[in-house]
Amino acid sequence: MNASDFDSGFRSRLDALATSNLSDACDSVGIPRCAVQGIVPRWGRTKVVGRAVTIRMTAAGAVPAVAHLGVDAIANSNAGDVIVVDNRGDLHHNCWGEILALGAKLQGVSGVVVDGAVRDVDACETFDFPVHARGTVPSTARGRIVQEAWNVPVRLGDAPVRPGDVIVADVNGVVVVPIERLAEVVEAAETIMAKENAMLDALRAGESMQDVDRRFNYEQMLRRSAAGRKS
């Protein structure tokens, strides 16, 4: 799916959905290992939506350092893409900072999602560039970690990410949606969100928690959604 088709068909719909809606939808259609905990905004309450452009990191010296991390990924990104950095949750070594953030911002990148640590968060906030990561650390990556490869399959937590898969990241965490199943996941998530909004409206109208739970059969919602999609 190219950038234009994604933007016209799905971006606004994904902007309206929380990662919790999308995680439930993935469960309902049988997609395991889609949700990632602990990777959250490092400033504000930013949300990132887009197709993944991936980077895999490794220890300095493990492979030759051919290019500075992130440069090729940023240069080859389309507007609206998300840079995904797999550093296997390492909180000791930074793999994103202000120079990369500004370069990505000027390229039109939606944001960065890092399974590891970042730095220069204050500068990234000044640029209004969303940075979602596990933590922060002030030290440079130089001499510590290097880019092993980019535009290759990686992982965020236990979730596999291929180039072009869809990333949605918010204050609750990250959801990875396989690109070939995007349409069914979004449809299922919209159904789930509509039901949850109806439950919230019923509670605000004065209906008891027990009655709302009984009427909407919330406990079985995902199971029923899955069964309905198989029929």
Side-chain angles (χ1 to χ4, degrees), residues 10-221:
F10 295 100
R11 183 173 293 279
S12 64
R13 297 168 73 185
L14 288 166
D15 283 338
L17 294 163
T19 52
S20 53
N21 303 136
L22 291 162
S23 177
D24 288 353
C26 287
D27 284 343
S28 77
V29 301
I31 301 174
R33 296 184 300 147
C34 68
V36 185
Q37 65 86 26
I39 298 178
V40 295
R42 303 316 300 176
W43 63 267
R45 297 177 63 84
T46 56
K47 183 174 182 178
V48 176
V49 174
R51 303 173 310 147
V53 179
T54 61
I55 300 169
R56 186 168 65 221
M57 305 299 298
T58 192
V63 297
V66 177
H68 185 71
L69 74 94
V71 172
D72 292 329
I74 292 169
N76 288 276
S77 293
N78 291 298
D81 286 348
V82 177
I83 304 293
V84 173
V85 184
D86 176 2
N87 199 27
R88 303 309 309 134
D90 182 355
L91 297 179
H92 301 286
H93 301 109
N94 151 66
C95 50
W96 191 268
E98 64 179 323
I99 303 299
L100 293 176
L102 183 56
K105 174 77 174 182
L106 296 174
Q107 185 74 9
V109 172
S110 291
V112 66
V113 175
V114 180
D115 195 349
V118 298
R119 70 175 186 174
D120 302 328
V121 172
D122 49 349
C124 295
E125 182 175 9
T126 300
F127 303 150
D128 193 30
F129 184 78
V131 177
H132 293 229
R134 291 199 186 274
T136 57
V137 66
S139 58
T140 180
R142 296 175 184 83
R144 296 182 170 94
I145 56 174
V146 296
Q147 178 177 288
E148 180 179 8
W150 71 279
N151 206 35
V152 295
V154 299
R155 287 191 299 169
L156 290 174
D158 194 38
V161 185
R162 302 163 303 173
D165 282 342
V166 174
I167 303 295
V168 180
D170 61 17
V171 295
N172 298 298
V174 183
V175 169
V176 182
V177 181
I179 188 65
E180 68 275 11
R181 303 194 67 180
L182 179 60
E184 65 175 318
V185 169
V186 170
E187 182 182 345
E190 289 171 339
T191 298
I192 290 167
M193 183 176 69
K195 185 169 184 178
E196 291 185 340
N197 286 340
M199 294 175 71
L200 293 171
D201 288 342
L203 289 169
R204 293 187 182 104
E207 193 170 342
S208 74
M209 185 72 248
Q210 293 90 341
D211 287 345
V212 169
D213 183 62
R214 187 179 306 111
R215 180 158 69 89
F216 286 89
N217 199 11
Y218 189 60
E219 182 65 24
Q220 301 300 317
M221 181 171 65

